Structures are given as C-alpha cells and as structure tokens.
Amino acid sequence: MESILAQLEGLFASAIRAVLGADGDGVDPMIRAAGDPKFGDYQSNVAMGLAKKVGRKPRDLAQAVVDAIPANDVCEPFEIAGPGFINIRLRTNWLAAQLNAVSGQDDRLGIGALASPQTVVVDYSGPNIAKQMHVGHIRSTIIGDAIARVLAFEGHRVIRQNHIGDWGTQFGMLIAHLKEKLPEALDNPEAVHLGDLEKFYKEASARDKEDADFHERARTEVVALHNKQPDTMRAWQYIVEESRRHYLPIYQRLQVSLTRDDECGESFYADGLADLVKQLQSQFGKPAGSTGEPSITVEESDGALCVFHQDAKGEPAFKSSEDKPFPLIIRKSDGAFIYATTDLAALRYRTGELKADRIIYVTDARQALHFQMVFATARAAGWTRRAAGEVALEHVMFGTILGPDRKPLKTRSGDNIKLAELLDEAVERAEQLIRDAEADEKRRRGFTEAEIKDVAEAVGIGAVKYADLSQNRQTDYLFSWDKMLAMEGNTAPYMMYAYARIRSIYRKGEEASGEVAGDVALVEPAERALGLAILRFAEMLASVGQTLKINVLTEYLYELATAFSRFYESCSVLKADSDAQRASRLKLCDLTARTLQLGLDLLGIRVVERM
Ligand code: ARG
C-alpha cells in the first residue's frame, strides 16, 4: 500500500501535467500535512510557486489543477483558500477502509518494500581499538543503527560497515608494551586478559613519550606489523580481540544490530594504500588547469603528500584560516598513511566492490571537513561515477552531548564517560523509579523481581537511546537523567508506557469477548484524528529514509501517542455503546500499539507488555 502522501502526490502530479502539459513534468505538487485541521488534512501550495512561471493567477491555476483531478473516493471536494492554497480533506470512509486493510496485515502494517531498492552502505560506530568508546561513538552507534534499521525496513540492501580504528602507528607502542608486560597473552590469548584497556593504552603512550628505547622498539613493531611478522600479528590480533570483548557486549546491551561480521576496519585496507596513493599521484600529479569542473592535484608539501582541491573555476576549494589552500594529507612526511588514506580506500571499495548506490557516514560534526575533502577527492578520481548516476555520499553529522555545565559531557573528575557505566546508571535509575512505584499502593503493578529487572533494563537503555534520537542531531544537547526518564513528554518511558497501557486495554477486551471481530468506523473527531495519525506512519518513514532525520520519527511517535490519549479520554473503549463500536475502538487501540511497537523497534528500542 502506498502512503497517503504518495497517493495524493500521484493524483496531483497527473493533474498538473494535464493542465500544463510538458511544463508540468516533474513538478513537485508541494503537499504537506495541514497545520490546522480546520483547513483539512493536507494542503498543496503548488499553485503559488508555479503561477508566475506559467503566467496565470494562483487561484485560477489552483482551480484548474483541482478540476483536472478525476472524481475519486480518496478526497472530499477540494477547497481553494487564500491566495491559492488547495485544502485537501480525506474521505472518512476511505480512511476507515485503509485502517481495516492495515489491520489484517502482518508486522509491516501494510507498508510494502520499495519497488526500486538501493544498495546502501551505512558506516557507523567505528570505535578505536584499545580506547574507550567515547560519547561521539555512542551517538554514532545509536543514530547509525536507527538509520540502518529504517533503510532496511524500507527494503534497501543495507550493508553495515563498522570502520573500527584497528590500524596505525599507535599499534607499535601497544604491541611493544604488550610483549613486555604480558608476553603470555601471545600464547594463550583466550585465557589472559588485559582488563582496563584504556589504562593499558595510557601506560604505553606514556612510555613512548618518556623512554627513547621503548620508542625505538615501538617503531620496530610498526615495521613488523606492516611486514606481517607472525608474533607481531599475534599481538595485534590479541589487542583487537580484547577490545571486541569490550564493545560487542555494549552493542548487545544497546540493542544495536552490529555484529562481528559488520566489521571492516582500517586494517582491511592497509595493504592497498601504497598502490592507491601511487595511482592518485600518477593520475593527478600535474595541475589540471581550468577544466570547468572541480579537480584535484596531488603534490608534496613539507614532505607530506597532499591532495589539493580546486573548484570549477580553478580556485582552491578548501582554505585554512590564513586563507591558504588547505589539503587532504594522504601520506605523512615519515611515510605513514593515515585516516584519510584509509577512508579513500574504503570509499573506493564501497563503490567498486560493494556496488553501493549510497554511502552514509555517521560521525560527529568535527569530521565535516575531512569528509568533504574525502568525497571531493573520490568524485574527482571518478570513483563515484556509474552508468546509473552518481553514487550519493552523505555525511550524517551530529553535535555534542553536553553535561549540566553545558560543556561536553564528562565525569565529575573530568574523565571521559565510560559507556558501560553510563548504561548501568540508566538501568539503576529506572529500577529505582519502578521500585518507588511498587511501594506506592496506587501505582503498584505487583511485578516479580525478574519483571522489575527486565522492565528496568528496557526502560533505562530505551531512555538513553530515545533521548539521543529525539534530538535534532545537528545541534548539541543537554544530557539530563530526569528528562529522559520522565513519564511525561517525548521520552522513551512515555512511549513505552503508552504501548503497555494499550496492550492491557486490548487484553481486557479480548478476555471479555474473545477475538475482536468487526470493522473500524471513524465517528468521533478523536477517532478520526487517531486513524489518520496511524496511517501517516508510512509517509513519515519515507521522509526519514530520505532525510535521515530520526527525530522526525520520534516526533511522529509522540504525536501518535498524544492522539491516542485524546481518543482514550473522549471515547470509551471497553464500555462502548455497542459491540460494533467496541470492536472498532479496540482495533484502533491495537493498530496504535502495533505502530508504536514498530516505530520503537526501528529505533532499536524494545517494548514491554506491562509497565
Ligand atoms: N574511528 C573513527 C573515530 O573514532 C570513526 C570512523 C568513522 N568512519 C570512517 N569511515 N571514517 O573518529
């Protein structure tokens, strides 16, 4: 089933073409949900923008478009308002019929997979080996996973890529330190554990700075690593594996769908970097001159090999704060390849081998310039060109999580927050709230100990994730336990509670009458509003798939839950006037719960049946 919006767009697009002929081809009908139900359910603003272009009065054009829409059972007669808005009101019977159709559907709620799916690479999480996952990694992991889930649900072929930081010169010191401090780890990697990896990293880097002999040994290990010497490789393997022991359980706890199989870290590309650089150098060694298109030159500068970017006019495309051309360094003066080199190799692999149509990178906003330059290099090198059109490259960036002092979130002693501890605290706080409710006669649910633990885990983790996902990701946001755990407002607990409450109504209804048989009828305004909100899920999803703004989905879920509350306040469900009315309302309850559940599932948040 197509979304309501897609169906309306179809009707309008044909009408615009009928009125304007070729001028109407590809015109966006500009249909939006109406801001105020007084004006209908949707509104098209197409006439205002288009009128001038085709030399007609907006209201006349609007009338002509409306007249060209054939009689149909979707919309009530249109209304032209103000300077030329077209107000669209859906027929209530049609809405009810749609809901009945959806209600008989499986978990997808009647939302079909896309007819022309793409291959989409989603690059997210990307923790660095032997370092703590920091807050930036948390956001990347949570946001990236929601994006991957939404795109996969839409029917795209999603390839998750966890670009872990598992290569680079820092491994020299880590390996040298390991060989000295814990040689038994090499023979018995399963039995010997490092414990605090971050501490290990700090020790190694302190020695590397202070101890010249050690520094020399570390450098030898880097060379040995490049030459794949067996004992060095074993040490490297061991350190990577120890890190996995840390982050894989965090993914699991976060209900993030990444597994070991989604890892394709920096080391994967290491062997190809020298060739890649050589190729770029020979292809772009000389200035391209003015080609009328963005171009690159690869040149040495202060001993480092750099990609310089020119715009279509031949001017530097990126500039430093001193207004000098700002390059992408792809080989340092000591000969080492770096983050950017690997990212170029990864991009080429994803377009060339993985055949991606779209590549999405989820990292914090501080990497914006890095990705702009990587993308520009890839485009100039021709890696994104295909017969079917350019590969889309998107940097999905996000801001910082701020602490109560409005500075980046840290522990009281100024250290980075440890993700595992943050999640523990979330669950502990959720558990306390549940225990408080259990101690209160009016709010008590009579949970068993096991249920308390289970609900606390779902609520605590859900709250942290939802708080993040419900932000406009571009901006920084204030981390607040009280806000994210509140039972009111746009929070995970509110959403999960709405779900559990509806399930309990439905259970009671079923218990009383067996299976709920009958059709949805939308009589009261609150019933109609809820029905429309349920059906708008499909178009919301399509919008999230395009814009990758997950907060559009959380806002939608909040609106849906609010529409349900209004409905439940004004319409008796279990004590309805007739069996038919009761069945209809129970079905609306069921559809609301299923939509909430599916929506939360796409965010990687699990619901509980009782709360
Ligand atoms: N490891 C990187 C970091 O911690 C993130 C990797 C993001 N992905 C990428 N292809 N660069 O910042």
Side-chain angles (χ1 to χ4, degrees):
M1 206 161 69
E2 263 188 311
S3 73
I4 297 178
L5 184 63
Q7 295 187 53
L8 293 175
E9 281 170 346
L11 280 177
F12 272 69
S14 323
I16 294 168
R17 238 173 291 130
V19 174
L20 297 178
D23 279 351
D25 274 348
V27 167
D28 175 2
M30 297 184 56
I31 300 175
R32 312 275 176 267
D36 182 338
K38 264 208 313 267
F39 303 123
D41 302 316
Y42 291 83
Q43 188 178 59
S44 165
N45 301 348
V46 70
M48 267 90 70
L50 210 53
K52 210 169 176 186
K53 238 171 61 199
V54 300
R56 292 170 74 157
K57 289 204 189 98
R59 279 191 73 103
D60 294 350
L61 183 60
Q63 190 62 54
V65 169
V66 158
D67 290 343
I69 296 177
N72 62 77
D73 54 11
V74 181
C75 307
E76 299 281 359
F78 298 96
E79 202 179 87
I80 297 176
F85 299 110
I86 304 171
N87 292 341
I88 305 166
R89 195 164 273 115
L90 300 163
R91 289 184 196 271
T92 303
N93 285 342
W94 181 80
L95 281 177
Q98 301 291 297
L99 289 162
N100 280 316
V102 171
S103 136
Q105 296 274 347
D106 58 7
D107 306 344
R108 296 189 57 99
L109 294 170
I111 302 174
L114 285 173
S116 44
Q118 291 186 309
T119 298
V120 188
V121 166
V122 188
D123 175 326
Y124 65 106
S125 194
N128 295 325
I129 296 306
K131 286 192 185 169
Q132 276 288 336
M133 270 207 207
H134 57 64
V135 180
H137 294 121
I138 309 180
R139 294 207 75 187
S140 173
T141 304
I142 293 175
I143 297 170
D145 200 53
I147 288 175
R149 283 170 187 262
V150 167
L151 293 172
F153 180 82
E154 284 193 285
H156 294 296
R157 195 168 86 88
V158 171
I159 306 178
R160 292 167 170 81
Q161 293 274 278
N162 194 356
H163 193 83
I164 59 173
D166 63 351
W167 202 252
T169 44
Q170 77 274 23
F171 275 92
M173 65 182 196
L174 292 170
I175 292 168
H177 192 48
L178 180 77
K179 281 186 173 174
E180 264 177 58
K181 223 191 134 185
L182 210 66
E184 60 274 30
L186 270 67
D187 303 317
N188 218 345
E190 291 297 320
V192 181
H193 297 303
L194 265 180
D196 192 337
L197 268 166
E198 190 161 56
K199 201 170 125 233
F200 182 82
Y201 191 99
K202 281 186 183 149
E203 283 166 13
S205 86
R207 286 185 72 189
D208 195 50
K209 282 193 198 97
E210 287 149 19
D211 179 342
D213 284 348
F214 180 84
H215 180 73
E216 211 34 59
R217 283 200 297 284
R219 281 185 37 162
T220 320
E221 291 296 354
V222 174
V223 177
L225 190 63
H226 285 151
N227 296 331
K228 305 239 151 76
Q229 261 173 35
D231 62 325
T232 298
M233 285 305 282
R234 275 215 312 274
W236 171 78
Q237 191 71 53
Y238 171 80
I239 295 168
V240 177
E241 202 55 52
E242 283 293 282
S243 259
R244 276 188 195 116
R245 267 184 239 281
H246 167 70
Y247 65 75
L248 288 178
I250 289 187
Y251 292 154
Q252 234 174 19
R253 192 164 194 204
L254 275 175
Q255 315 249 346
V256 158
S257 56
L258 283 174
T259 67
R260 174 88 169 72
D261 295 338
D262 302 310
E263 267 175 32
C264 193
E266 296 187 32
S267 65
F268 179 80
Y269 306 99
D271 289 342
L273 299 181
D275 263 355
L276 178 131
V277 165
K278 221 186 273 164
Q279 246 184 51
L280 283 175
Q281 216 173 355
S282 70
Q283 213 180 332
F284 300 102
K286 282 196 224 64
S290 66
T291 55
E293 274 187 46
S295 62
I296 56 174
T297 30
V298 177
E299 281 175 90
E300 264 191 34
S301 169
D302 292 331
L305 195 67
C306 300
V307 181
F308 288 93
H309 298 81
Q310 288 80 236
D311 63 16
K313 289 194 208 114
E315 298 291 321
F318 304 101
K319 284 194 200 152
S320 69
S321 45
E322 293 105 62
D323 218 31
K324 292 228 186 72
F326 192 73
L328 181 71
I329 300 177
I330 54 175
R331 196 181 63 208
K332 289 199 302 181
S333 52
D334 63 2
F337 301 120
I338 54 176
Y339 189 54
T341 333
T342 312
D343 252 328
L344 288 173
L347 203 161
R348 191 174 62 167
Y349 171 75
R350 290 163 184 181
T351 55
E353 302 293 319
L354 299 180
K355 307 263 178 271
D357 300 303
R358 182 182 189 187
I359 311 177
I360 295 164
Y361 295 81
V362 189
T363 82
D364 68 62
R366 283 171 304 185
Q367 298 196 30
L369 184 59
H370 165 80
F371 283 113
Q372 278 176 38
M373 294 199 288
V374 166
F375 293 173
T377 306
R379 288 193 191 105
W383 302 337
T384 55
R385 221 170 295 136
R386 292 162 322 150
E390 277 278 310
V391 177
L393 306 174
E394 292 167 69
H395 180 207
V396 167
M397 54 185 129
F398 48 79
T400 308
I401 309 182
L402 304 176
D405 55 358
R406 301 206 143 260
K407 296 215 182 87
L409 188 63
K410 298 260 164 142
T411 63
R412 253 184 230 138
S413 53
D415 292 330
N416 278 329
I417 303 264
K418 295 196 162 122
L419 185 46
E421 286 169 13
L422 184 99
L423 297 180
D424 283 341
E425 180 166 356
V427 173
E428 272 159 33
R429 284 175 181 260
E431 185 177 326
Q432 193 52 53
L433 292 174
I434 298 166
R435 291 197 188 279
D436 291 347
E438 288 298 284
D440 177 345
E441 222 171 292
K442 279 198 227 90
R443 292 190 294 151
R444 180 179 305 152
R445 293 271 181 273
F447 284 134
T448 63
E449 267 308 295
E451 278 174 314
I452 292 181
K453 292 281 179 203
D454 181 56
V455 176
E457 180 77 19
V459 170
I461 303 290
V464 170
K465 292 183 78 170
Y466 196 93
D468 200 298
L469 292 167
S470 58
Q471 304 296 323
N472 169 357
R473 61 176 156 72
Q474 313 268 43
T475 50
D476 299 346
Y477 78 89
L478 218 55
F479 187 91
S480 156
W481 286 118
D482 291 342
K483 245 198 212 154
M484 74 177 72
L485 286 164
M487 291 296 288
E488 291 298 327
N490 189 10
T491 65
Y494 176 71
M495 238 37 95
M496 294 169 69
Y497 177 68
Y499 172 85
R501 186 166 70 144
I502 300 169
R503 296 297 302 153
S504 98
I505 299 165
Y506 198 80
R507 273 195 303 272
K508 273 188 214 144
E510 258 182 339
E511 273 158 26
S513 66
E515 207 187 311
V516 178
D519 283 336
V520 175
L522 303 173
V523 182
E524 298 297 325
E527 289 175 308
R528 190 184 183 284
L530 177 61
L532 178 59
I534 292 168
L535 290 171
R536 291 196 60 204
F537 184 60
E539 70 199 40
M540 215 55 69
L541 215 58
S543 147
V544 175
Q546 270 167 20
T547 62
L548 307 180
K549 287 189 180 147
I550 297 293
N551 64 314
V552 169
L553 179 54
T554 57
E555 266 150 41
Y556 164 77
L557 291 175
Y558 187 51
E559 271 165 35
L560 176 65
T562 311
F564 180 81
S565 286
R566 290 209 188 100
F567 155 81
Y568 198 61
E569 274 158 28
S570 59
C571 303
S572 319
V573 176
L574 296 177
K575 295 198 178 104
D577 294 339
S578 66
D579 284 352
Q581 192 184 58
R582 183 167 177 278
S584 163
R585 289 179 176 172
L586 277 171
K587 277 204 160 159
L588 282 174
C589 288
D590 181 51
L591 280 168
T592 307
R594 284 163 64 192
T595 309
L596 286 174
Q597 180 176 23
L598 177 56
L600 289 171
D601 184 60
L602 292 176
L603 303 176
I605 294 176
R606 129 177 114 89
V607 293
V608 289
E609 294 301 304
R610 293 204 314 146
M611 210 174 124

